mmCIF file of all heavy atoms in Angstrom:
data_model
loop_
_atom_site.group_PDB
_atom_site.id
_atom_site.type_symbol
_atom_site.label_atom_id
_atom_site.label_comp_id
_atom_site.label_asym_id
_atom_site.label_seq_id
_atom_site.Cartn_x
_atom_site.Cartn_y
_atom_site.Cartn_z
ATOM 1 N N THR A 114 10.514 158.163 73.532
ATOM 2 C CA THR A 114 9.961 156.813 73.485
ATOM 3 C C THR A 114 11.043 155.834 73.935
ATOM 4 O O THR A 114 12.151 155.850 73.407
ATOM 5 C CB THR A 114 9.496 156.465 72.059
ATOM 6 O OG1 THR A 114 8.491 157.402 71.660
ATOM 7 C CG2 THR A 114 8.929 155.069 71.999
ATOM 8 N N LYS A 115 10.703 155.006 74.921
ATOM 9 C CA LYS A 115 11.719 154.131 75.504
ATOM 10 C C LYS A 115 11.420 152.668 75.213
ATOM 11 O O LYS A 115 10.288 152.214 75.328
ATOM 12 C CB LYS A 115 11.793 154.340 77.019
ATOM 13 C CG LYS A 115 12.217 155.734 77.447
ATOM 14 C CD LYS A 115 12.265 155.846 78.963
ATOM 15 C CE LYS A 115 12.687 157.240 79.410
ATOM 16 N NZ LYS A 115 12.741 157.353 80.882
ATOM 17 N N ILE A 116 12.464 151.933 74.830
ATOM 18 C CA ILE A 116 12.441 150.464 74.856
ATOM 19 C C ILE A 116 13.686 150.056 75.642
ATOM 20 O O ILE A 116 14.772 149.938 75.109
ATOM 21 C CB ILE A 116 12.376 149.839 73.454
ATOM 22 C CG1 ILE A 116 13.340 150.517 72.488
ATOM 23 C CG2 ILE A 116 10.981 149.847 72.900
ATOM 24 C CD1 ILE A 116 13.398 149.807 71.145
ATOM 25 N N GLU A 117 13.470 149.874 76.935
ATOM 26 C CA GLU A 117 14.593 149.731 77.870
ATOM 27 C C GLU A 117 14.962 148.293 78.183
ATOM 28 O O GLU A 117 15.986 148.049 78.830
ATOM 29 C CB GLU A 117 14.258 150.433 79.182
ATOM 30 C CG GLU A 117 13.983 151.920 79.049
ATOM 31 C CD GLU A 117 13.691 152.567 80.378
ATOM 32 O OE1 GLU A 117 14.661 152.953 81.051
ATOM 33 O OE2 GLU A 117 12.516 152.661 80.756
ATOM 34 N N ASN A 118 14.149 147.343 77.741
ATOM 35 C CA ASN A 118 14.387 145.967 78.173
ATOM 36 C C ASN A 118 14.382 145.011 76.995
ATOM 37 O O ASN A 118 13.711 143.971 77.013
ATOM 38 C CB ASN A 118 13.320 145.550 79.196
ATOM 39 C CG ASN A 118 13.341 146.420 80.433
ATOM 40 O OD1 ASN A 118 14.280 146.386 81.213
ATOM 41 N ND2 ASN A 118 12.311 147.247 80.611
ATOM 42 N N VAL A 119 15.129 145.359 75.954
ATOM 43 C CA VAL A 119 15.229 144.501 74.780
ATOM 44 C C VAL A 119 16.210 143.365 75.070
ATOM 45 O O VAL A 119 17.373 143.605 75.389
ATOM 46 C CB VAL A 119 15.698 145.291 73.545
ATOM 47 C CG1 VAL A 119 15.908 144.357 72.372
ATOM 48 C CG2 VAL A 119 14.695 146.373 73.194
ATOM 49 N N ASN A 120 15.721 142.133 74.978
ATOM 50 C CA ASN A 120 16.600 140.969 75.104
ATOM 51 C C ASN A 120 16.923 140.435 73.713
ATOM 52 O O ASN A 120 16.027 140.276 72.880
ATOM 53 C CB ASN A 120 15.923 139.868 75.926
ATOM 54 C CG ASN A 120 15.965 140.150 77.408
ATOM 55 O OD1 ASN A 120 14.982 140.617 77.989
ATOM 56 N ND2 ASN A 120 17.077 139.883 78.053
ATOM 57 N N LEU A 121 18.185 140.187 73.467
ATOM 58 C CA LEU A 121 18.629 139.593 72.211
ATOM 59 C C LEU A 121 18.905 138.107 72.448
ATOM 60 O O LEU A 121 19.464 137.726 73.484
ATOM 61 C CB LEU A 121 19.885 140.293 71.705
ATOM 62 C CG LEU A 121 19.752 141.812 71.485
ATOM 63 C CD1 LEU A 121 21.087 142.405 71.064
ATOM 64 C CD2 LEU A 121 18.675 142.124 70.443
ATOM 65 N N PHE A 122 18.529 137.264 71.472
ATOM 66 C CA PHE A 122 18.603 135.817 71.659
ATOM 67 C C PHE A 122 19.491 135.181 70.596
ATOM 68 O O PHE A 122 19.455 135.556 69.431
ATOM 69 C CB PHE A 122 17.196 135.213 71.624
ATOM 70 C CG PHE A 122 16.303 135.752 72.700
ATOM 71 C CD1 PHE A 122 15.395 136.761 72.419
ATOM 72 C CD2 PHE A 122 16.395 135.279 73.998
ATOM 73 C CE1 PHE A 122 14.583 137.281 73.414
ATOM 74 C CE2 PHE A 122 15.588 135.792 75.001
ATOM 75 C CZ PHE A 122 14.686 136.800 74.709
ATOM 76 N N LYS A 123 20.257 134.201 71.032
ATOM 77 C CA LYS A 123 21.229 133.553 70.164
ATOM 78 C C LYS A 123 20.552 132.768 69.042
ATOM 79 O O LYS A 123 19.477 132.175 69.238
ATOM 80 C CB LYS A 123 22.122 132.621 70.984
ATOM 81 C CG LYS A 123 23.059 133.328 71.945
ATOM 82 C CD LYS A 123 23.948 132.333 72.670
ATOM 83 C CE LYS A 123 24.945 133.042 73.595
ATOM 84 N NZ LYS A 123 25.822 132.073 74.294
ATOM 85 N N THR A 124 21.229 132.735 67.886
ATOM 86 C CA THR A 124 20.730 131.955 66.745
ATOM 87 C C THR A 124 21.133 130.491 66.848
ATOM 88 O O THR A 124 20.644 129.656 66.080
ATOM 89 C CB THR A 124 21.264 132.534 65.426
ATOM 90 O OG1 THR A 124 22.701 132.589 65.492
ATOM 91 C CG2 THR A 124 20.729 133.936 65.186
ATOM 92 N N SER A 125 22.012 130.158 67.790
ATOM 93 C CA SER A 125 22.406 128.777 68.027
ATOM 94 C C SER A 125 22.606 128.582 69.528
ATOM 95 O O SER A 125 23.173 129.448 70.199
ATOM 96 C CB SER A 125 23.695 128.436 67.279
ATOM 97 O OG SER A 125 24.073 127.094 67.503
ATOM 98 N N LEU A 126 22.115 127.468 70.057
ATOM 99 C CA LEU A 126 22.200 127.197 71.489
ATOM 100 C C LEU A 126 22.883 125.861 71.744
ATOM 101 O O LEU A 126 22.754 124.915 70.962
ATOM 102 C CB LEU A 126 20.799 127.164 72.119
ATOM 103 C CG LEU A 126 20.039 128.479 72.265
ATOM 104 C CD1 LEU A 126 18.627 128.196 72.759
ATOM 105 C CD2 LEU A 126 20.752 129.417 73.221
ATOM 106 N N LYS A 127 23.557 125.788 72.865
ATOM 107 C CA LYS A 127 24.150 124.540 73.312
ATOM 108 C C LYS A 127 23.167 123.823 74.232
ATOM 109 O O LYS A 127 22.560 124.436 75.104
ATOM 110 C CB LYS A 127 25.454 124.811 74.064
ATOM 111 C CG LYS A 127 26.115 123.559 74.623
ATOM 112 C CD LYS A 127 27.319 123.913 75.493
ATOM 113 C CE LYS A 127 27.895 122.673 76.159
ATOM 114 N NZ LYS A 127 29.012 122.999 77.080
ATOM 115 N N PHE A 128 23.014 122.503 74.024
ATOM 116 C CA PHE A 128 22.147 121.685 74.875
ATOM 117 C C PHE A 128 22.965 120.561 75.500
ATOM 118 O O PHE A 128 23.799 119.941 74.840
ATOM 119 C CB PHE A 128 20.996 121.084 74.069
ATOM 120 C CG PHE A 128 19.875 122.046 73.789
ATOM 121 C CD1 PHE A 128 19.965 122.946 72.735
ATOM 122 C CD2 PHE A 128 18.743 122.068 74.578
ATOM 123 C CE1 PHE A 128 18.943 123.835 72.472
ATOM 124 C CE2 PHE A 128 17.717 122.957 74.329
ATOM 125 C CZ PHE A 128 17.808 123.846 73.273
ATOM 126 N N ASP A 129 22.705 120.306 76.789
ATOM 127 C CA ASP A 129 23.340 119.190 77.496
ATOM 128 C C ASP A 129 22.303 118.116 77.771
ATOM 129 O O ASP A 129 21.140 118.418 78.088
ATOM 130 C CB ASP A 129 23.940 119.667 78.821
ATOM 131 C CG ASP A 129 25.084 120.645 78.626
ATOM 132 O OD1 ASP A 129 25.883 120.430 77.696
ATOM 133 O OD2 ASP A 129 25.170 121.621 79.401
ATOM 134 N N GLN A 130 22.729 116.859 77.665
ATOM 135 C CA GLN A 130 21.828 115.751 77.968
ATOM 136 C C GLN A 130 21.794 115.514 79.472
ATOM 137 O O GLN A 130 22.826 115.330 80.110
ATOM 138 C CB GLN A 130 22.282 114.483 77.248
ATOM 139 C CG GLN A 130 21.364 113.293 77.514
ATOM 140 C CD GLN A 130 21.800 112.058 76.748
ATOM 141 O OE1 GLN A 130 21.856 112.072 75.520
ATOM 142 N NE2 GLN A 130 22.133 110.998 77.467
ATOM 143 N N VAL A 131 20.586 115.552 80.049
ATOM 144 C CA VAL A 131 20.411 115.319 81.479
ATOM 145 C C VAL A 131 20.176 113.835 81.747
ATOM 146 O O VAL A 131 20.764 113.247 82.651
ATOM 147 C CB VAL A 131 19.237 116.152 82.025
ATOM 148 C CG1 VAL A 131 19.038 115.897 83.514
ATOM 149 C CG2 VAL A 131 19.456 117.632 81.762
ATOM 150 N N SER A 132 19.293 113.228 80.945
ATOM 151 C CA SER A 132 18.946 111.819 81.141
ATOM 152 C C SER A 132 18.601 111.198 79.801
ATOM 153 O O SER A 132 18.096 111.866 78.893
ATOM 154 C CB SER A 132 17.755 111.688 82.100
ATOM 155 O OG SER A 132 17.311 110.349 82.180
ATOM 156 N N GLU A 133 18.887 109.897 79.666
ATOM 157 C CA GLU A 133 18.537 109.184 78.447
ATOM 158 C C GLU A 133 17.416 108.177 78.678
ATOM 159 O O GLU A 133 17.078 107.405 77.795
ATOM 160 C CB GLU A 133 19.770 108.452 77.893
ATOM 161 C CG GLU A 133 20.375 107.444 78.821
ATOM 162 C CD GLU A 133 21.600 106.765 78.262
ATOM 163 O OE1 GLU A 133 22.133 107.246 77.233
ATOM 164 O OE2 GLU A 133 22.033 105.760 78.846
ATOM 165 N N SER A 134 16.835 108.193 79.874
ATOM 166 C CA SER A 134 15.754 107.255 80.198
ATOM 167 C C SER A 134 14.674 107.958 81.007
ATOM 168 O O SER A 134 14.283 107.498 82.081
ATOM 169 C CB SER A 134 16.301 106.042 80.964
ATOM 170 O OG SER A 134 16.922 106.466 82.166
ATOM 171 N N ALA A 135 14.197 109.089 80.491
ATOM 172 C CA ALA A 135 13.190 109.886 81.208
ATOM 173 C C ALA A 135 11.812 109.668 80.593
ATOM 174 O O ALA A 135 11.646 109.713 79.366
ATOM 175 C CB ALA A 135 13.561 111.358 81.151
ATOM 176 N N ASN A 136 10.838 109.445 81.449
ATOM 177 C CA ASN A 136 9.460 109.290 80.989
ATOM 178 C C ASN A 136 8.660 110.574 81.195
ATOM 179 O O ASN A 136 7.785 110.910 80.404
ATOM 180 C CB ASN A 136 8.790 108.132 81.723
ATOM 181 C CG ASN A 136 7.494 107.710 81.076
ATOM 182 O OD1 ASN A 136 7.451 107.450 79.888
ATOM 183 N ND2 ASN A 136 6.433 107.640 81.869
ATOM 184 N N SER A 137 8.953 111.293 82.284
ATOM 185 C CA SER A 137 8.349 112.592 82.562
ATOM 186 C C SER A 137 9.281 113.318 83.522
ATOM 187 O O SER A 137 10.221 112.723 84.066
ATOM 188 C CB SER A 137 6.947 112.459 83.169
ATOM 189 O OG SER A 137 6.997 111.820 84.432
ATOM 190 N N PHE A 138 9.016 114.596 83.743
ATOM 191 C CA PHE A 138 9.868 115.344 84.666
ATOM 192 C C PHE A 138 9.120 116.560 85.185
ATOM 193 O O PHE A 138 8.114 116.995 84.612
ATOM 194 C CB PHE A 138 11.179 115.769 83.994
ATOM 195 C CG PHE A 138 11.048 116.900 82.999
ATOM 196 C CD1 PHE A 138 11.482 118.181 83.319
ATOM 197 C CD2 PHE A 138 10.489 116.696 81.747
ATOM 198 C CE1 PHE A 138 11.374 119.227 82.415
ATOM 199 C CE2 PHE A 138 10.381 117.725 80.831
ATOM 200 C CZ PHE A 138 10.822 118.995 81.169
ATOM 201 N N SER A 139 9.616 117.107 86.287
ATOM 202 C CA SER A 139 9.025 118.295 86.896
ATOM 203 C C SER A 139 10.135 119.075 87.596
ATOM 204 O O SER A 139 11.146 118.498 88.008
ATOM 205 C CB SER A 139 7.935 117.905 87.901
ATOM 206 O OG SER A 139 7.317 119.049 88.457
ATOM 207 N N ILE A 140 9.939 120.388 87.721
ATOM 208 C CA ILE A 140 10.923 121.260 88.364
ATOM 209 C C ILE A 140 10.323 121.831 89.643
ATOM 210 O O ILE A 140 9.164 122.257 89.652
ATOM 211 C CB ILE A 140 11.360 122.380 87.411
ATOM 212 C CG1 ILE A 140 12.036 121.771 86.166
ATOM 213 C CG2 ILE A 140 12.315 123.359 88.099
ATOM 214 C CD1 ILE A 140 12.466 122.788 85.124
ATOM 215 N N SER A 141 11.079 121.839 90.711
ATOM 216 C CA SER A 141 10.592 122.321 92.005
ATOM 217 C C SER A 141 10.240 123.806 91.924
ATOM 218 O O SER A 141 10.782 124.535 91.091
ATOM 219 C CB SER A 141 11.642 122.093 93.092
ATOM 220 O OG SER A 141 12.841 122.786 92.786
ATOM 221 N N PRO A 142 9.330 124.287 92.791
ATOM 222 C CA PRO A 142 8.916 125.698 92.739
ATOM 223 C C PRO A 142 10.062 126.684 92.889
ATOM 224 O O PRO A 142 10.028 127.762 92.294
ATOM 225 C CB PRO A 142 7.934 125.810 93.919
ATOM 226 C CG PRO A 142 7.385 124.442 94.080
ATOM 227 C CD PRO A 142 8.513 123.516 93.750
ATOM 228 N N ASP A 143 11.104 126.327 93.665
ATOM 229 C CA ASP A 143 12.236 127.239 93.804
ATOM 230 C C ASP A 143 13.226 127.126 92.642
ATOM 231 O O ASP A 143 14.208 127.867 92.579
ATOM 232 C CB ASP A 143 12.958 127.022 95.134
ATOM 233 C CG ASP A 143 13.523 125.608 95.282
ATOM 234 O OD1 ASP A 143 13.548 124.843 94.292
ATOM 235 O OD2 ASP A 143 13.956 125.262 96.399
ATOM 236 N N GLY A 144 12.973 126.203 91.714
ATOM 237 C CA GLY A 144 13.795 126.063 90.520
ATOM 238 C C GLY A 144 15.151 125.438 90.762
ATOM 239 O O GLY A 144 15.976 125.376 89.847
ATOM 240 N N LYS A 145 15.388 124.923 91.948
ATOM 241 C CA LYS A 145 16.725 124.424 92.282
ATOM 242 C C LYS A 145 16.918 122.939 91.988
ATOM 243 O O LYS A 145 18.044 122.450 91.956
ATOM 244 C CB LYS A 145 17.028 124.692 93.765
ATOM 245 C CG LYS A 145 17.127 126.179 94.106
ATOM 246 C CD LYS A 145 17.448 126.389 95.571
ATOM 247 C CE LYS A 145 17.571 127.874 95.896
ATOM 248 N NZ LYS A 145 17.877 128.107 97.330
ATOM 249 N N ASN A 146 15.804 122.205 91.774
ATOM 250 C CA ASN A 146 15.915 120.765 91.568
ATOM 251 C C ASN A 146 14.976 120.291 90.463
ATOM 252 O O ASN A 146 13.915 120.890 90.233
ATOM 253 C CB ASN A 146 15.599 120.009 92.865
ATOM 254 C CG ASN A 146 16.624 120.282 93.958
ATOM 255 O OD1 ASN A 146 17.719 119.751 93.936
ATOM 256 N ND2 ASN A 146 16.250 121.136 94.901
ATOM 257 N N ILE A 147 15.395 119.216 89.799
ATOM 258 C CA ILE A 147 14.602 118.603 88.733
ATOM 259 C C ILE A 147 14.329 117.159 89.116
ATOM 260 O O ILE A 147 15.264 116.405 89.450
ATOM 261 C CB ILE A 147 15.327 118.660 87.369
ATOM 262 C CG1 ILE A 147 15.512 120.122 86.922
ATOM 263 C CG2 ILE A 147 14.542 117.903 86.317
ATOM 264 C CD1 ILE A 147 16.856 120.677 87.221
ATOM 265 N N LEU A 148 13.056 116.783 89.111
ATOM 266 C CA LEU A 148 12.661 115.413 89.428
ATOM 267 C C LEU A 148 12.302 114.711 88.121
ATOM 268 O O LEU A 148 11.405 115.148 87.398
ATOM 269 C CB LEU A 148 11.470 115.410 90.386
ATOM 270 C CG LEU A 148 10.973 114.039 90.847
ATOM 271 C CD1 LEU A 148 12.058 113.322 91.664
ATOM 272 C CD2 LEU A 148 9.698 114.168 91.677
ATOM 273 N N VAL A 149 13.018 113.629 87.813
ATOM 274 C CA VAL A 149 12.840 112.905 86.557
ATOM 275 C C VAL A 149 12.292 111.514 86.852
ATOM 276 O O VAL A 149 12.871 110.760 87.648
ATOM 277 C CB VAL A 149 14.174 112.789 85.790
ATOM 278 C CG1 VAL A 149 13.981 111.989 84.507
ATOM 279 C CG2 VAL A 149 14.731 114.176 85.474
ATOM 280 N N GLU A 150 11.170 111.184 86.208
ATOM 281 C CA GLU A 150 10.634 109.826 86.299
ATOM 282 C C GLU A 150 11.334 108.960 85.263
ATOM 283 O O GLU A 150 11.359 109.285 84.071
ATOM 284 C CB GLU A 150 9.127 109.829 86.045
ATOM 285 C CG GLU A 150 8.518 108.430 86.060
ATOM 286 C CD GLU A 150 7.211 108.338 85.290
ATOM 287 O OE1 GLU A 150 6.753 109.369 84.754
ATOM 288 O OE2 GLU A 150 6.659 107.217 85.204
ATOM 289 N N ALA A 151 11.911 107.853 85.688
ATOM 290 C CA ALA A 151 12.639 106.960 84.785
ATOM 291 C C ALA A 151 11.673 106.060 84.021
ATOM 292 O O ALA A 151 10.516 105.866 84.417
ATOM 293 C CB ALA A 151 13.638 106.119 85.577
ATOM 294 N N THR A 152 12.167 105.496 82.923
ATOM 295 C CA THR A 152 11.342 104.636 82.066
ATOM 296 C C THR A 152 11.417 103.191 82.542
ATOM 297 O O THR A 152 12.031 102.332 81.912
ATOM 298 C CB THR A 152 11.831 104.726 80.614
ATOM 299 O OG1 THR A 152 13.240 104.415 80.604
ATOM 300 C CG2 THR A 152 11.614 106.098 80.041
ATOM 301 N N ASN A 153 10.754 102.924 83.647
ATOM 302 C CA ASN A 153 10.731 101.572 84.190
ATOM 303 C C ASN A 153 9.280 101.191 84.446
ATOM 304 O O ASN A 153 8.578 101.864 85.205
ATOM 305 C CB ASN A 153 11.535 101.491 85.492
ATOM 306 C CG ASN A 153 11.620 100.081 86.040
ATOM 307 O OD1 ASN A 153 11.149 99.131 85.421
ATOM 308 N ND2 ASN A 153 12.227 99.947 87.212
ATOM 309 N N THR A 154 8.805 100.126 83.821
ATOM 310 C CA THR A 154 7.408 99.725 83.972
ATOM 311 C C THR A 154 7.165 98.873 85.218
ATOM 312 O O THR A 154 6.024 98.697 85.636
ATOM 313 C CB THR A 154 6.939 98.935 82.736
ATOM 314 O OG1 THR A 154 7.791 97.785 82.570
ATOM 315 C CG2 THR A 154 7.015 99.803 81.487
ATOM 316 N N LYS A 155 8.238 98.347 85.817
ATOM 317 C CA LYS A 155 8.071 97.468 86.969
ATOM 318 C C LYS A 155 7.893 98.222 88.282
ATOM 319 O O LYS A 155 7.428 97.668 89.276
ATOM 320 C CB LYS A 155 9.272 96.527 87.074
ATOM 321 C CG LYS A 155 9.388 95.571 85.890
ATOM 322 C CD LYS A 155 10.572 94.642 86.048
ATOM 323 C CE LYS A 155 10.680 93.701 84.860
ATOM 324 N NZ LYS A 155 11.844 92.779 84.997
ATOM 325 N N SER A 156 8.299 99.498 88.306
ATOM 326 C CA SER A 156 8.169 100.330 89.504
ATOM 327 C C SER A 156 8.223 101.790 89.089
ATOM 328 O O SER A 156 8.517 102.114 87.931
ATOM 329 C CB SER A 156 9.282 100.014 90.512
ATOM 330 O OG SER A 156 10.552 100.260 89.931
#
Side-chain angles (χ1 to χ4, degrees):
T114 300
K115 297 180 180 180
I116 44 174
E117 300 181 86
N118 299 292
V119 175
N120 282 100
L121 303 176
F122 300 99
K123 292 183 177 181
T124 55
S125 180
L126 289 174
K127 177 186 174 184
F128 282 82
D129 295 321
Q130 181 178 300
V131 179
S132 173
E133 60 181 13
S134 59
N136 194 52
S137 64
F138 74 105
S139 182
I140 298 178
S141 60
D143 61 11
K145 294 181 179 180
N146 295 283
I147 296 98
L148 182 64
V149 178
E150 177 203 359
T152 54
N153 184 4
T154 58
K155 296 181 180 180
S156 60

